[in-house]
């Protein structure tokens, strides 16, 4: 059955710990073995027939004599023009390499299998560094620290092949796709660009929050153009060995050049391309790595046929040098999807899941403001898992609701609550719910009310916006304030002023925020007028109002209080007048825990349906 429902569940993150242990054991064995060999005097015999050792300055001096050079990590081996083999520890230096290469020598860079050869020498050092690194990482709370630094030792992880992903697999970001069609054209046929003398794109920076589909889009470009896709992550380029990042950049660009036309994707490019300001202990190494990246990109000619796509969620952190013409000079911002985008993404991923016919993805899109494409995919996945657990044959509306609430509000709390607290919560939520129905034609329609505790909330009333909000009318703000304070109002009406609880904390905060913004920023209060009064907020502390005299600040405070007082008085009035209905709502909530918007509407005014109210709003 599991298979029936979920055709394509995401695989869980692999756990690295077992192979890490094995690796450690292997390294340890190597150290021990090495110690024995050394005692046998094996090292001496090796050196007799070995290559001559050159110092770095020897290499610099005798650059013209070098015939071949193979570089592994920071060790260069090869032949001199007279045939002698040499070995030298060098520091990376593009000018040196150029000088050597310009004499006709072949220089090859090999980072793919280097470290094995130097196990004996390096292992004790590396292990020591590992431990320091590990401890540092551990202190900083990164459980993945060790595996990270190990990856640093391995050859750069490169995903390759021609991806089958195409633009069809990317939903909801059509204008971004449109901007990148040209890149596909270039990869397909670069001569077309050269023919008209168009400047050829080189680097594109995709910026956007995690999960907005940057990697997906890059893969799709390669897929559309039918060219190989190489991917690396900026964090791969920072290792514990100085110079490794530079070598890896070279390696990956070498590979890209051999496979051009192709697309090179560098995720988390901020890891190498950060502004050069903070002084950390591997800052210099990172700077060299960044320089190498820039050198490589500057070296592209129109014939190179490589497109580099960098991804970041912090474009503001990037070194401006990266963004200069000829580098990542084109920026495409990928925003979190809007309502239509979310619907498209949901529809795309829903194809992988078998669902009941009545599941309304449009409604789900309305109720998932702020979620990324990856979140939405995850949501559908969670729904499918829930369906399996619940023994459903198809994913049902309930499964999706549960997954959504879990994602947005946290998992259900199995909390022992006193009966009277549950009762109070039911009346509190009934208060919110009732006032919501009163303002159904102004505010967002009510989606559901529940007394199932989740996260920090004991219960909640959810609303579903009709469309993405850009602004709110004064009427809407007034309605929302009344809805917000209605929970507390209901507590007071049904349980008395001395029984009110702290459960309304977030409601009050929300009403206050709404009032404050409307008054100080949107000019919606005639007492204050059309003046923008910014109020800077630091962590925890509120600074005094800016651009305002003390007197104005007082007026603002009084206005906010008046708005909230008015809202509260209105809520009390409305709820008192409809005591019986509110009680009915609360009792139904106690009996059923959750009521849908439709059910609430039916209890409140059996004649008016929710859909009618919704249509009315939609017409506005
Ligand atoms: P990013 O690189 O921006 O962090 P990814 O490209 O890795 O995001 O997105 C993760 C997954 O989320 C994708 O593999 C895809 O399944 C899903 N996803 C994200 N955005 C979209 C989208 N616009 N259309 C379809 N799927 C998406
Ligand atoms: Zn409340």
């Amino acid at each position: 059955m599991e298979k029936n429902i979920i055709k394509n569940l995401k695989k869980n993150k692999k756990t690295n710990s077992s192979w890490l242990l094995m690796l450690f054991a292997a390294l340890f064995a190597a150290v021990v073995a090495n110690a024995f060999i050394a005692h046998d005097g094996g090292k001496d015999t090796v050196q007799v027939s070995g290559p001559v050792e050159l110092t770095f300055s020897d290499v610099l001096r005798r650059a013209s004599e070098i015939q071949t050079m193979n570089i592994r990590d920071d060790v260069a081996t090869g032949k001199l023009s007279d045939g002698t083999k040499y070995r030298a520890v060098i520091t990376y230096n593009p000018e040196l390499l150029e000088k050597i290469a310009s004499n006709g020598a072949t220089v090859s860079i090999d980072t793919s299998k280097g470290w094995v050869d130097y196990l004996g020498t390096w292992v004790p050092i590396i292990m020591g560094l590992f431990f320091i690194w590990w401890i540092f990482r551990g202190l900083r709370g990164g459980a993945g620290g060790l595996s990270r630094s190990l990856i640093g030792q391995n050859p750069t992880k490169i995903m390759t092949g021609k991806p089958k992903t195409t633009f069809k697999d990317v939903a909801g970001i059509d204008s971004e796709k449109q901007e990148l069609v040209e890149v596909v054209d270039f990869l397909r046929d670069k001569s077309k660009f050269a023919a008209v003398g168009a400047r050829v794109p080189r680097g594109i920076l995709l910026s956007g929050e995690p999960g907005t589909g940057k990697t997906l889009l890059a893969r799709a470009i390669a897929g559309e153009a039918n060219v190989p896709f190489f991917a690396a992550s900026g964090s791969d380029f920072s290792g514990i060995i100085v110079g490794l990042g530079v070598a890896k950049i070279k390696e990956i660009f070498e590979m890209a050049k051999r496979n051009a036309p192709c697309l090179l994707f560098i995720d988390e490019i901020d890891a190498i391309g950060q502004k050069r300001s903070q002084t950390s202990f591997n800052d210099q190494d990172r700077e060299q790595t960044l320089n190498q990246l820039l050198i490589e990109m500057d070296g592209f000619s129109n014939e190179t046929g490589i497109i580099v796509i960098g991804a970041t969620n912090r474009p503001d952190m990037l070194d401006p040098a990266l963004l200069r013409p000829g580098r990542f000079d084109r920026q495409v911002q990928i925003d979190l999807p809007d309502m239509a985008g979310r619907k498209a993404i949901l529809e795309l991923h829903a194809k992988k899941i078998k669902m009941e016919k009545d599941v309304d993805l449009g409604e789900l899109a309305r109720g998932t403001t702020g979620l990324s494409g990856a979140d939405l995919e995850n949501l559908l996945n969670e729904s499918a898992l829930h369906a399996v657990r619940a023994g459903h044959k198809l994913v049902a509306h309930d499964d999706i609701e549960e997954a959504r609430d879990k994602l947005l509000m946290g998992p259900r709390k199995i909390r022992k609550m006193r009966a009277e607290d549950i009762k109070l919560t039911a009346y509190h939520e009934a208060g919110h719910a009732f006032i919501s129905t009163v303002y159904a034609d102004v505010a967002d329609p009510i989606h559901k009310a529940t007394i199932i505790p989740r996260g920090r909330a004991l219960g909640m009333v959810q609303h579903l916006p009709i469309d993405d909000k850009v602004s709110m009318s004064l009427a809407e703000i007034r309605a929302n304030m009344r809805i917000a304070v209605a929970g507390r109002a209901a507590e007071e009406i049904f349980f008395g002023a001395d029984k009110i609880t702290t459960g309304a904390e977030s409601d009050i905060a929300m009403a206050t925020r709404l009032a404050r913004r409307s008054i100080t920023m949107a000019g919606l209060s005639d007492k204050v007028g059309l003046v923008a009064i910014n109020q800077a907020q630091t962590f925890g502390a509120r600074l005094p109002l800016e651009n305002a005299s003390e007197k104005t600040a007082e007026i603002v405070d009084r206005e906010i209080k008046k708005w909230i007082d008015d809202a509260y008085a209105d809520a009390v009035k409305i709820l008192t007048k409809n005591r019986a209905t509110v009680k009915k709502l609360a009792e139904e909530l106690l009996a059923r825990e959750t009521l849908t918007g439709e059910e609430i509407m039916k209890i409140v005014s059996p004649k008016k349906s929710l859909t009618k109210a919704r249509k009315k709003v939609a017409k506005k």
Side-chain angles (χ1 to χ4, degrees), residues 458-473:
L458 298 177
M460 65 189 157
V461 167
Q462 290 177 345
H463 301 87
L464 274 194
I466 297 291
D467 47 31
D468 284 327
K469 252 191 203 58
V470 269
S471 68
M472 268 199 214
S473 67

